[in-house]
Amino acid sequence: MRKVVRGFYAIAEAVRLSRPNVIAAYPITPQTEIVENLAEMYANGELGDAEYVTAESEFGAASMVLGASAAGARAFTATSSQGLLLMTEVLYNAAGMRLPIVLVVANRSVSAPLSIWNDIQDSISVRDAGIIQLYVESNQEAHDMLPLAFKVAENRDVLLPFMICVDGFKLTHAYEPVDLLDQETVDKFLPPYEPAVKLDVNSPVAMGCYAPPPYYMEFRVAMECAMERASRVMLEEFERWYELTGRNWGGHVVAENCEDAEVVVVAMGSVVALVREVVNRMREGGKKVGLLKIRTYRPFPSEDVRKALENAGKVIVIERALSIGAEPPVTADVKSAIFGLDAEVYPVVMGLGGRDIPRELVEKVIDDVMEGKVKPEKRFEGLNEFEEVIP
Amino acid sequence: MNYFGPGHGACPGCGFPIAIRGAIEALDGKVIAVNSTGCLEIVSSMYGRNTWGVPYIHSLFENAGAVAAGIETALKALKRDKEAHVVVFAGDGATFDIGIGTLSGMMDRDHNVIYICYDNEAYQNTGNQQSMATPPGARTTTTPVGKLQPGKIGKKKDMVEIAVAHNIPYAASASIAYPKDFQRKVKRASEFEGSKYIQVHAPCVTGWGIDGKLTVEVARLAVETGLYPLVEYEHGKLVKVRKLKQRKPVEEYLKIQRRFRHLFKHEMGKDILDQLQRIADENAEKYGLDA
Ligand SMILES: Cc1ncc(C[n+]2csc(CCOP(=O)(O)OP(=O)(O)O)c2C)c(N)n1
Ligand code: SF4
Ligand SMILES: [Mg+2]
């Protein structure tokens, strides 16, 4: 059913349709409305047998979904920014324990200075945890990826947490037309969760053991293997999703106009829509520009990125997070993916803390690179004149 | 069926194994055990050497309360809640200090969990650093004895009262010196729906500097001096207290432990000894310990 809804509702509705057993939640802007919507569904008896618990903190919420998942439940939580940072210790732990929890991150900048507005510093900061990360461009994509996230995470070849990253406000609070799924479709795609192991008095297992040096490394490398398999499993499920719903979200990346492009713009999340608009318009003007949308950030689709950028002489990476003191995060991954290719990479940091990314700015960024006006090094665009105050 | 051990690696004479085994036996093995990082976890859950005969999970140092809450919630959602008791075994550091937030959340939401804190009065796993359960005067590596400092300055937090203040149905203190009493309390706790808190005094041989053969003796003296009163609350009401026929002076408990020995020589030791006796007297008064 096609309806104009806000992002948080599209997300909450998809969570409901995925039939979770346990939802643990804690409010933080701009995620709050997701769990508020779920709370309302719970209050109205629309969540079936699911239990909805309000935690004392995000740390507690993450720990509760960890415990619930270990007991064999399908478990969900959502957060943003500080909340995600507070969850971090638990999330690393859940990944190491191979618990297939699903969480939505409504992307928001991190403090200080305090800012409730959007960038992707929060989720980028936990990229090394062993959690699958997928960045969506629209609320339809967010809606569709929820059942898929559970299915991939729960696959025995994977068993890793799955994080869907949705730009805070820009998507979560935006009104968009969304084809809302129905229960029958979701049930056809997503079977009930059958945990491989669970806490059960009838067959006791110990979970969360400690591993001395002769064992630890194997556990961690096994996570690498699972991530690698996740890459294949995700592609299979993307395909199945397409067959079932007729909506084709592509693979780990979507390359548009890249074959003959002199300049390819790499982007993740909601900014992709804007870049596409600019690229299409420039194409009409005869400029050889392409777009590479990265959907899956972990596992990082190095081969797909390399293939898409094979012919690009120049690559612009739009960065909405920093790794302060080093190359911005996506650039570092892109560079390592195309190592040895003859391409120049232009990291462009923009949109931090909700700073506007106007269309003209994206156009200018591309033009500057095309015309050789800038060097292939880290740049900040949309930055105000400012004087650093050193006390 | 062995619910805990053999094969755990606790120091000979360690107090907590008595409590762990006792609790699981009292519940006939119908237990899902949730454990925080600490001595118990390290001595029982090494990969390939699991010594637990019941389902067991360890996540982090400071989240056992929330993990247990999540398990209990899942069992409810999956209609498996009659299968087992969810029982937390957490150290005093995990309980009094770093994990008090998740414990408070668990109790506030009144999850159906038995939370057992084994209280060895410091961070023993990491080599005897003070916690908020460390009594005044105790020597730990972070409250060392020096010219200006006679061991820990401060008080032991009253966690039982904090638990009671959450309006949970059952809270009690216990001691490994009275295993029958402890097991009765665990069983009693299991009869209530909601959150239950039991704090069991469990000496640490190395951290306290005691002879491994004297563990039970030391624990008993803590009770007999009034320093560790055994109390029991149901729905916020004090329902039972272990009375003492002849309360012993605190020195008897203190002098056989290396962590307190300096108090008898240190310039400021006398004040601390007085403080400890005062605490025992206040306990006696508050709970009517003297028979
Ligand atoms: C977040 C965090 N901080 C510190 C530690 C290090 N650490 C591990 S166990 C422990 C102390 C445990 O004390 P307690 O709960 O009293 O248990 P005990 O070892 O005394 O039985 C500490 C400080 C940790 N694992 N995690
Ligand atoms: S260090 Fe103390 S608490 Fe830890 S196992 Fe040894 S005696 Fe027990
Ligand atoms: Mg301790």
Side-chain angles (χ1 to χ4, degrees), chain A residues 51 54 56 59 63-64 67-68 71 89 93 199 205-210, chain B residues 42 45 47 55-59 62-63 66 70-71 73 80 101-102 109:
Chain A
E51 292 288 333
T54 319
E56 68 286 349
F59 182 81
S63 299
M64 277 196 270
E89 191 192 10
N93 193 245
L199 295 168
V205 291
M207 304 175 82
C209 294
Y210 93 90
Chain B
I42 288 296
S45 77
Y47 177 67
Y56 167 90
I57 183 170
H58 157 254
S59 170
E62 68 277 34
N63 69 352
I71 293 168
T73 306
R80 287 173 48 204
T102 59
R109 295 183 299 268

PDB file of all heavy atoms in Angstrom, chain A residues 51 54 56 59 63-64 67-68 71 89 93 199 205-210, chain B residues 42 45 47 55-59 62-63 66 70-71 73 80 101-102 109:
ATOM      1  N   GLU A  51       7.550  -8.340  23.336  1.00  0.00           N
ATOM      2  CA  GLU A  51       7.678  -7.562  24.562  1.00  0.00           C
ATOM      3  C   GLU A  51       8.440  -6.283  24.226  1.00  0.00           C
ATOM      4  O   GLU A  51       9.456  -6.321  23.529  1.00  0.00           O
ATOM      5  CB  GLU A  51       8.447  -8.354  25.627  1.00  0.00           C
ATOM      6  CG  GLU A  51       7.698  -9.566  26.154  1.00  0.00           C
ATOM      7  CD  GLU A  51       6.518  -9.187  27.046  1.00  0.00           C
ATOM      8  OE1 GLU A  51       6.556  -8.119  27.669  1.00  0.00           O
ATOM      9  OE2 GLU A  51       5.558  -9.989  27.094  1.00  0.00           O
ATOM     10  N   THR A  54      11.315  -0.420  28.053  1.00  0.00           N
ATOM     11  CA  THR A  54      12.047   0.845  28.074  1.00  0.00           C
ATOM     12  C   THR A  54      13.239   0.692  29.005  1.00  0.00           C
ATOM     13  O   THR A  54      13.079   0.369  30.186  1.00  0.00           O
ATOM     14  CB  THR A  54      11.159   1.988  28.598  1.00  0.00           C
ATOM     15  OG1 THR A  54       9.872   1.832  28.045  1.00  0.00           O
ATOM     16  CG2 THR A  54      11.732   3.320  28.197  1.00  0.00           C
ATOM     17  N   GLU A  56      16.952   1.723  30.992  1.00  0.00           N
ATOM     18  CA  GLU A  56      17.436   2.821  31.815  1.00  0.00           C
ATOM     19  C   GLU A  56      18.508   3.624  31.075  1.00  0.00           C
ATOM     20  O   GLU A  56      18.909   4.690  31.525  1.00  0.00           O
ATOM     21  CB  GLU A  56      17.976   2.305  33.157  1.00  0.00           C
ATOM     22  CG  GLU A  56      19.251   1.480  33.102  1.00  0.00           C
ATOM     23  CD  GLU A  56      19.055   0.071  32.563  1.00  0.00           C
ATOM     24  OE1 GLU A  56      17.905  -0.365  32.417  1.00  0.00           O
ATOM     25  OE2 GLU A  56      20.065  -0.582  32.258  1.00  0.00           O
ATOM     26  N   PHE A  59      22.899   1.821  26.956  1.00  0.00           N
ATOM     27  CA  PHE A  59      23.761   0.716  27.368  1.00  0.00           C
ATOM     28  C   PHE A  59      22.899  -0.457  27.847  1.00  0.00           C
ATOM     29  O   PHE A  59      23.139  -1.613  27.499  1.00  0.00           O
ATOM     30  CB  PHE A  59      24.704   1.192  28.482  1.00  0.00           C
ATOM     31  CG  PHE A  59      25.657   0.141  28.943  1.00  0.00           C
ATOM     32  CD1 PHE A  59      26.811  -0.120  28.231  1.00  0.00           C
ATOM     33  CD2 PHE A  59      25.383  -0.607  30.073  1.00  0.00           C
ATOM     34  CE1 PHE A  59      27.682  -1.113  28.641  1.00  0.00           C
ATOM     35  CE2 PHE A  59      26.245  -1.599  30.484  1.00  0.00           C
ATOM     36  CZ  PHE A  59      27.401  -1.852  29.771  1.00  0.00           C
ATOM     37  N   SER A  63      22.198  -4.103  26.083  1.00  0.00           N
ATOM     38  CA  SER A  63      22.444  -5.298  26.892  1.00  0.00           C
ATOM     39  C   SER A  63      21.202  -6.182  26.945  1.00  0.00           C
ATOM     40  O   SER A  63      21.303  -7.406  26.975  1.00  0.00           O
ATOM     41  CB  SER A  63      22.863  -4.908  28.310  1.00  0.00           C
ATOM     42  OG  SER A  63      24.057  -4.153  28.277  1.00  0.00           O
ATOM     43  N   MET A  64      20.041  -5.551  26.960  1.00  0.00           N
ATOM     44  CA  MET A  64      18.805  -6.347  26.989  1.00  0.00           C
ATOM     45  C   MET A  64      18.591  -7.075  25.674  1.00  0.00           C
ATOM     46  O   MET A  64      18.222  -8.251  25.678  1.00  0.00           O
ATOM     47  CB  MET A  64      17.607  -5.464  27.324  1.00  0.00           C
ATOM     48  CG  MET A  64      17.465  -5.265  28.816  1.00  0.00           C
ATOM     49  SD  MET A  64      15.847  -4.649  29.260  1.00  0.00           S
ATOM     50  CE  MET A  64      16.144  -2.913  29.169  1.00  0.00           C
ATOM     51  N   GLY A  67      20.906 -10.030  25.738  1.00  0.00           N
ATOM     52  CA  GLY A  67      20.394 -11.133  26.554  1.00  0.00           C
ATOM     53  C   GLY A  67      19.221 -11.824  25.876  1.00  0.00           C
ATOM     54  O   GLY A  67      19.134 -13.054  25.847  1.00  0.00           O
ATOM     55  N   ALA A  68      18.323 -11.023  25.298  1.00  0.00           N
ATOM     56  CA  ALA A  68      17.140 -11.584  24.637  1.00  0.00           C
ATOM     57  C   ALA A  68      17.554 -12.465  23.464  1.00  0.00           C
ATOM     58  O   ALA A  68      17.045 -13.571  23.280  1.00  0.00           O
ATOM     59  CB  ALA A  68      16.232 -10.455  24.165  1.00  0.00           C
ATOM     60  N   ALA A  71      18.878 -15.704  24.472  1.00  0.00           N
ATOM     61  CA  ALA A  71      17.827 -16.624  24.920  1.00  0.00           C
ATOM     62  C   ALA A  71      16.999 -17.141  23.751  1.00  0.00           C
ATOM     63  O   ALA A  71      16.078 -17.919  23.936  1.00  0.00           O
ATOM     64  CB  ALA A  71      16.926 -15.927  25.936  1.00  0.00           C
ATOM     65  N   GLU A  89      30.298  -0.644  23.716  1.00  0.00           N
ATOM     66  CA  GLU A  89      30.939  -1.788  24.376  1.00  0.00           C
ATOM     67  C   GLU A  89      30.075  -3.044  24.235  1.00  0.00           C
ATOM     68  O   GLU A  89      30.575  -4.146  24.001  1.00  0.00           O
ATOM     69  CB  GLU A  89      31.187  -1.480  25.861  1.00  0.00           C
ATOM     70  CG  GLU A  89      32.073  -2.510  26.525  1.00  0.00           C
ATOM     71  CD  GLU A  89      32.103  -2.404  28.041  1.00  0.00           C
ATOM     72  OE1 GLU A  89      31.292  -1.651  28.611  1.00  0.00           O
ATOM     73  OE2 GLU A  89      32.918  -3.103  28.652  1.00  0.00           O
ATOM     74  N   ASN A  93      30.581  -6.641  21.927  1.00  0.00           N
ATOM     75  CA  ASN A  93      30.378  -7.899  22.640  1.00  0.00           C
ATOM     76  C   ASN A  93      29.356  -8.776  21.922  1.00  0.00           C
ATOM     77  O   ASN A  93      29.575  -9.973  21.710  1.00  0.00           O
ATOM     78  CB  ASN A  93      29.918  -7.546  24.064  1.00  0.00           C
ATOM     79  CG  ASN A  93      29.969  -8.723  25.007  1.00  0.00           C
ATOM     80  OD1 ASN A  93      28.945  -9.177  25.487  1.00  0.00           O
ATOM     81  ND2 ASN A  93      31.153  -9.251  25.252  1.00  0.00           N
ATOM     82  N   LEU A 199      20.196 -20.059  25.191  1.00  0.00           N
ATOM     83  CA  LEU A 199      20.205 -20.407  26.613  1.00  0.00           C
ATOM     84  C   LEU A 199      18.977 -21.253  26.890  1.00  0.00           C
ATOM     85  O   LEU A 199      17.845 -20.800  26.695  1.00  0.00           O
ATOM     86  CB  LEU A 199      20.182 -19.134  27.461  1.00  0.00           C
ATOM     87  CG  LEU A 199      21.416 -18.245  27.321  1.00  0.00           C
ATOM     88  CD1 LEU A 199      21.172 -16.891  27.967  1.00  0.00           C
ATOM     89  CD2 LEU A 199      22.654 -18.907  27.907  1.00  0.00           C
ATOM     90  N   VAL A 205      24.406 -24.536  27.427  1.00  0.00           N
ATOM     91  CA  VAL A 205      25.642 -24.088  26.777  1.00  0.00           C
ATOM     92  C   VAL A 205      26.184 -22.917  27.589  1.00  0.00           C
ATOM     93  O   VAL A 205      25.454 -22.293  28.354  1.00  0.00           O
ATOM     94  CB  VAL A 205      25.399 -23.592  25.335  1.00  0.00           C
ATOM     95  CG1 VAL A 205      25.031 -24.740  24.414  1.00  0.00           C
ATOM     96  CG2 VAL A 205      24.318 -22.513  25.303  1.00  0.00           C
ATOM     97  N   ALA A 206      27.453 -22.643  27.419  1.00  0.00           N
ATOM     98  CA  ALA A 206      28.047 -21.461  28.039  1.00  0.00           C
ATOM     99  C   ALA A 206      28.335 -20.449  26.940  1.00  0.00           C
ATOM    100  O   ALA A 206      28.959 -20.777  25.936  1.00  0.00           O
ATOM    101  CB  ALA A 206      29.323 -21.828  28.782  1.00  0.00           C
ATOM    102  N   MET A 207      27.852 -19.235  27.121  1.00  0.00           N
ATOM    103  CA  MET A 207      28.071 -18.191  26.118  1.00  0.00           C
ATOM    104  C   MET A 207      28.907 -17.069  26.733  1.00  0.00           C
ATOM    105  O   MET A 207      28.732 -16.734  27.898  1.00  0.00           O
ATOM    106  CB  MET A 207      26.730 -17.638  25.635  1.00  0.00           C
ATOM    107  CG  MET A 207      25.818 -18.728  25.094  1.00  0.00           C
ATOM    108  SD  MET A 207      24.176 -18.128  24.636  1.00  0.00           S
ATOM    109  CE  MET A 207      24.499 -17.469  23.038  1.00  0.00           C
ATOM    110  N   GLY A 208      29.781 -16.505  25.919  1.00  0.00           N
ATOM    111  CA  GLY A 208      30.598 -15.401  26.407  1.00  0.00           C
ATOM    112  C   GLY A 208      31.770 -15.860  27.245  1.00  0.00           C
ATOM    113  O   GLY A 208      32.167 -15.210  28.212  1.00  0.00           O
ATOM    114  N   CYS A 209      32.328 -17.010  26.866  1.00  0.00           N
ATOM    115  CA  CYS A 209      33.515 -17.516  27.560  1.00  0.00           C
ATOM    116  C   CYS A 209      34.698 -16.588  27.324  1.00  0.00           C
ATOM    117  O   CYS A 209      34.688 -15.789  26.402  1.00  0.00           O
ATOM    118  CB  CYS A 209      33.880 -18.894  27.024  1.00  0.00           C
ATOM    119  SG  CYS A 209      32.629 -20.113  27.427  1.00  0.00           S
ATOM    120  N   TYR A 210      35.691 -16.724  28.144  1.00  0.00           N
ATOM    121  CA  TYR A 210      36.888 -15.933  27.855  1.00  0.00           C
ATOM    122  C   TYR A 210      37.912 -16.826  27.171  1.00  0.00           C
ATOM    123  O   TYR A 210      37.974 -18.026  27.412  1.00  0.00           O
ATOM    124  CB  TYR A 210      37.434 -15.235  29.099  1.00  0.00           C
ATOM    125  CG  TYR A 210      38.489 -15.967  29.881  1.00  0.00           C
ATOM    126  CD1 TYR A 210      39.848 -15.795  29.570  1.00  0.00           C
ATOM    127  CD2 TYR A 210      38.147 -16.805  30.927  1.00  0.00           C
ATOM    128  CE1 TYR A 210      40.811 -16.466  30.289  1.00  0.00           C
ATOM    129  CE2 TYR A 210      39.106 -17.465  31.651  1.00  0.00           C
ATOM    130  CZ  TYR A 210      40.443 -17.302  31.325  1.00  0.00           C
ATOM    131  OH  TYR A 210      41.394 -17.962  32.039  1.00  0.00           O
TER     132      TYR A 210
ATOM    133  N   ILE B  42      36.141 -15.634  35.486  1.00  0.00           N
ATOM    134  CA  ILE B  42      37.456 -16.071  35.015  1.00  0.00           C
ATOM    135  C   ILE B  42      37.773 -17.504  35.459  1.00  0.00           C
ATOM    136  O   ILE B  42      38.337 -18.287  34.704  1.00  0.00           O
ATOM    137  CB  ILE B  42      38.548 -15.080  35.508  1.00  0.00           C
ATOM    138  CG1 ILE B  42      38.435 -13.751  34.744  1.00  0.00           C
ATOM    139  CG2 ILE B  42      39.943 -15.665  35.363  1.00  0.00           C
ATOM    140  CD1 ILE B  42      38.700 -13.832  33.249  1.00  0.00           C
ATOM    141  N   SER B  45      34.809 -20.052  33.308  1.00  0.00           N
ATOM    142  CA  SER B  45      34.274 -20.025  31.939  1.00  0.00           C
ATOM    143  C   SER B  45      35.336 -19.887  30.865  1.00  0.00           C
ATOM    144  O   SER B  45      35.078 -19.349  29.804  1.00  0.00           O
ATOM    145  CB  SER B  45      33.259 -18.888  31.794  1.00  0.00           C
ATOM    146  OG  SER B  45      33.926 -17.646  31.687  1.00  0.00           O
ATOM    147  N   TYR B  47      37.304 -20.759  27.709  1.00  0.00           N
ATOM    148  CA  TYR B  47      36.905 -21.522  26.532  1.00  0.00           C
ATOM    149  C   TYR B  47      37.474 -22.942  26.603  1.00  0.00           C
ATOM    150  O   TYR B  47      38.667 -23.129  26.841  1.00  0.00           O
ATOM    151  CB  TYR B  47      37.386 -20.833  25.255  1.00  0.00           C
ATOM    152  CG  TYR B  47      37.059 -21.634  24.020  1.00  0.00           C
ATOM    153  CD1 TYR B  47      35.724 -21.805  23.630  1.00  0.00           C
ATOM    154  CD2 TYR B  47      38.054 -22.241  23.271  1.00  0.00           C
ATOM    155  CE1 TYR B  47      35.409 -22.557  22.517  1.00  0.00           C
ATOM    156  CE2 TYR B  47      37.738 -22.995  22.153  1.00  0.00           C
ATOM    157  CZ  TYR B  47      36.410 -23.147  21.788  1.00  0.00           C
ATOM    158  OH  TYR B  47      36.097 -23.902  20.688  1.00  0.00           O
ATOM    159  N   PRO B  55      22.820 -23.608  31.801  1.00  0.00           N
ATOM    160  CA  PRO B  55      23.109 -22.604  30.773  1.00  0.00           C
ATOM    161  C   PRO B  55      23.693 -21.347  31.414  1.00  0.00           C
ATOM    162  O   PRO B  55      23.207 -20.893  32.453  1.00  0.00           O
ATOM    163  CB  PRO B  55      21.760 -22.335  30.113  1.00  0.00           C
ATOM    164  CG  PRO B  55      20.729 -23.032  30.932  1.00  0.00           C
ATOM    165  CD  PRO B  55      21.418 -24.068  31.742  1.00  0.00           C
ATOM    166  N   TYR B  56      24.700 -20.822  30.757  1.00  0.00           N
ATOM    167  CA  TYR B  56      25.494 -19.757  31.364  1.00  0.00           C
ATOM    168  C   TYR B  56      25.782 -18.686  30.325  1.00  0.00           C
ATOM    169  O   TYR B  56      26.064 -18.993  29.170  1.00  0.00           O
ATOM    170  CB  TYR B  56      26.811 -20.368  31.856  1.00  0.00           C
ATOM    171  CG  TYR B  56      27.888 -19.362  32.233  1.00  0.00           C
ATOM    172  CD1 TYR B  56      27.987 -18.881  33.530  1.00  0.00           C
ATOM    173  CD2 TYR B  56      28.814 -18.912  31.281  1.00  0.00           C
ATOM    174  CE1 TYR B  56      28.978 -17.968  33.878  1.00  0.00           C
ATOM    175  CE2 TYR B  56      29.806 -17.997  31.625  1.00  0.00           C
ATOM    176  CZ  TYR B  56      29.884 -17.529  32.927  1.00  0.00           C
ATOM    177  OH  TYR B  56      30.854 -16.634  33.266  1.00  0.00           O
ATOM    178  N   ILE B  57      25.711 -17.433  30.744  1.00  0.00           N
ATOM    179  CA  ILE B  57      26.141 -16.359  29.841  1.00  0.00           C
ATOM    180  C   ILE B  57      26.914 -15.299  30.612  1.00  0.00           C
ATOM    181  O   ILE B  57      26.556 -14.918  31.732  1.00  0.00           O
ATOM    182  CB  ILE B  57      24.949 -15.718  29.082  1.00  0.00           C
ATOM    183  CG1 ILE B  57      25.458 -14.648  28.092  1.00  0.00           C
ATOM    184  CG2 ILE B  57      23.917 -15.128  30.045  1.00  0.00           C
ATOM    185  CD1 ILE B  57      24.412 -14.133  27.130  1.00  0.00           C
ATOM    186  N   HIS B  58      28.010 -14.902  30.016  1.00  0.00           N
ATOM    187  CA  HIS B  58      28.778 -13.755  30.512  1.00  0.00           C
ATOM    188  C   HIS B  58      28.840 -12.749  29.383  1.00  0.00           C
ATOM    189  O   HIS B  58      29.140 -13.114  28.248  1.00  0.00           O
ATOM    190  CB  HIS B  58      30.195 -14.194  30.913  1.00  0.00           C
ATOM    191  CG  HIS B  58      31.177 -13.061  30.890  1.00  0.00           C
ATOM    192  ND1 HIS B  58      32.138 -12.923  29.911  1.00  0.00           N
ATOM    193  CD2 HIS B  58      31.318 -11.990  31.709  1.00  0.00           C
ATOM    194  CE1 HIS B  58      32.835 -11.821  30.141  1.00  0.00           C
ATOM    195  NE2 HIS B  58      32.361 -11.233  31.218  1.00  0.00           N
ATOM    196  N   SER B  59      28.522 -11.502  29.679  1.00  0.00           N
ATOM    197  CA  SER B  59      28.637 -10.476  28.642  1.00  0.00           C
ATOM    198  C   SER B  59      29.718  -9.482  29.024  1.00  0.00           C
ATOM    199  O   SER B  59      30.824  -9.542  28.506  1.00  0.00           O
ATOM    200  CB  SER B  59      27.283  -9.793  28.429  1.00  0.00           C
ATOM    201  OG  SER B  59      27.400  -8.663  27.612  1.00  0.00           O
ATOM    202  N   GLU B  62      29.629  -4.675  33.530  1.00  0.00           N
ATOM    203  CA  GLU B  62      28.631  -3.795  34.136  1.00  0.00           C
ATOM    204  C   GLU B  62      27.222  -3.953  33.585  1.00  0.00           C
ATOM    205  O   GLU B  62      26.415  -3.038  33.703  1.00  0.00           O
ATOM    206  CB  GLU B  62      29.090  -2.342  33.989  1.00  0.00           C
ATOM    207  CG  GLU B  62      29.112  -1.774  32.571  1.00  0.00           C
ATOM    208  CD  GLU B  62      30.353  -2.104  31.761  1.00  0.00           C
ATOM    209  OE1 GLU B  62      30.899  -3.202  31.929  1.00  0.00           O
ATOM    210  OE2 GLU B  62      30.749  -1.261  30.926  1.00  0.00           O
ATOM    211  N   ASN B  63      26.899  -5.092  32.974  1.00  0.00           N
ATOM    212  CA  ASN B  63      25.548  -5.162  32.400  1.00  0.00           C
ATOM    213  C   ASN B  63      24.759  -6.416  32.761  1.00  0.00           C
ATOM    214  O   ASN B  63      23.747  -6.710  32.120  1.00  0.00           O
ATOM    215  CB  ASN B  63      25.610  -5.002  30.875  1.00  0.00           C
ATOM    216  CG  ASN B  63      26.262  -6.188  30.185  1.00  0.00           C
ATOM    217  OD1 ASN B  63      26.811  -7.072  30.838  1.00  0.00           O
ATOM    218  ND2 ASN B  63      26.216  -6.204  28.875  1.00  0.00           N
ATOM    219  N   ALA B  66      20.982  -5.957  33.104  1.00  0.00           N
ATOM    220  CA  ALA B  66      20.246  -5.753  31.853  1.00  0.00           C
ATOM    221  C   ALA B  66      20.229  -7.016  30.997  1.00  0.00           C
ATOM    222  O   ALA B  66      19.225  -7.311  30.343  1.00  0.00           O
ATOM    223  CB  ALA B  66      20.847  -4.591  31.065  1.00  0.00           C
ATOM    224  N   GLY B  70      16.926  -8.880  29.779  1.00  0.00           N
ATOM    225  CA  GLY B  70      16.655  -9.239  28.382  1.00  0.00           C
ATOM    226  C   GLY B  70      16.298 -10.711  28.243  1.00  0.00           C
ATOM    227  O   GLY B  70      15.380 -11.071  27.495  1.00  0.00           O
ATOM    228  N   ILE B  71      17.009 -11.555  28.965  1.00  0.00           N
ATOM    229  CA  ILE B  71      16.722 -12.995  28.905  1.00  0.00           C
ATOM    230  C   ILE B  71      15.319 -13.265  29.439  1.00  0.00           C
ATOM    231  O   ILE B  71      14.524 -13.975  28.832  1.00  0.00           O
ATOM    232  CB  ILE B  71      17.772 -13.784  29.719  1.00  0.00           C
ATOM    233  CG1 ILE B  71      19.143 -13.669  29.047  1.00  0.00           C
ATOM    234  CG2 ILE B  71      17.360 -15.253  29.869  1.00  0.00           C
ATOM    235  CD1 ILE B  71      20.292 -14.170  29.906  1.00  0.00           C
ATOM    236  N   THR B  73      12.841 -11.241  29.630  1.00  0.00           N
ATOM    237  CA  THR B  73      11.847 -10.705  28.703  1.00  0.00           C
ATOM    238  C   THR B  73      11.646 -11.648  27.513  1.00  0.00           C
ATOM    239  O   THR B  73      10.520 -11.901  27.081  1.00  0.00           O
ATOM    240  CB  THR B  73      12.289  -9.316  28.201  1.00  0.00           C
ATOM    241  OG1 THR B  73      12.544  -8.479  29.330  1.00  0.00           O
ATOM    242  CG2 THR B  73      11.220  -8.672  27.353  1.00  0.00           C
ATOM    243  N   ARG B  80       8.369 -19.226  27.423  1.00  0.00           N
ATOM    244  CA  ARG B  80       9.243 -20.229  28.027  1.00  0.00           C
ATOM    245  C   ARG B  80       9.549 -19.872  29.475  1.00  0.00           C
ATOM    246  O   ARG B  80      10.493 -20.397  30.062  1.00  0.00           O
ATOM    247  CB  ARG B  80      10.564 -20.303  27.240  1.00  0.00           C
ATOM    248  CG  ARG B  80      10.457 -20.969  25.864  1.00  0.00           C
ATOM    249  CD  ARG B  80      11.767 -20.840  25.093  1.00  0.00           C
ATOM    250  NE  ARG B  80      12.917 -21.200  25.895  1.00  0.00           N
ATOM    251  CZ  ARG B  80      14.167 -20.770  25.683  1.00  0.00           C
ATOM    252  NH1 ARG B  80      14.420 -19.959  24.662  1.00  0.00           N
ATOM    253  NH2 ARG B  80      15.145 -21.132  26.466  1.00  0.00           N
ATOM    254  N   GLY B 101      23.638   0.899  37.547  1.00  0.00           N
ATOM    255  CA  GLY B 101      22.617   1.457  36.651  1.00  0.00           C
ATOM    256  C   GLY B 101      21.752   0.371  36.046  1.00  0.00           C
ATOM    257  O   GLY B 101      20.517   0.457  36.072  1.00  0.00           O
ATOM    258  N   THR B 102      22.380  -0.660  35.505  1.00  0.00           N
ATOM    259  CA  THR B 102      21.584  -1.718  34.874  1.00  0.00           C
ATOM    260  C   THR B 102      20.841  -2.528  35.930  1.00  0.00           C
ATOM    261  O   THR B 102      19.745  -3.010  35.680  1.00  0.00           O
ATOM    262  CB  THR B 102      22.444  -2.653  33.996  1.00  0.00           C
ATOM    263  OG1 THR B 102      23.465  -3.262  34.786  1.00  0.00           O
ATOM    264  CG2 THR B 102      23.065  -1.918  32.834  1.00  0.00           C
ATOM    265  N   ARG B 109      12.044  -2.076  36.785  1.00  0.00           N
ATOM    266  CA  ARG B 109      11.049  -2.705  35.894  1.00  0.00           C
ATOM    267  C   ARG B 109      10.545  -4.015  36.482  1.00  0.00           C
ATOM    268  O   ARG B 109       9.672  -4.655  35.925  1.00  0.00           O
ATOM    269  CB  ARG B 109      11.656  -2.916  34.507  1.00  0.00           C
ATOM    270  CG  ARG B 109      12.014  -1.642  33.767  1.00  0.00           C
ATOM    271  CD  ARG B 109      12.540  -1.936  32.373  1.00  0.00           C
ATOM    272  NE  ARG B 109      13.742  -2.748  32.397  1.00  0.00           N
ATOM    273  CZ  ARG B 109      14.985  -2.277  32.418  1.00  0.00           C
ATOM    274  NH1 ARG B 109      15.195  -0.974  32.378  1.00  0.00           N
ATOM    275  NH2 ARG B 109      16.017  -3.089  32.468  1.00  0.00           N
TER     276      ARG B 109
END
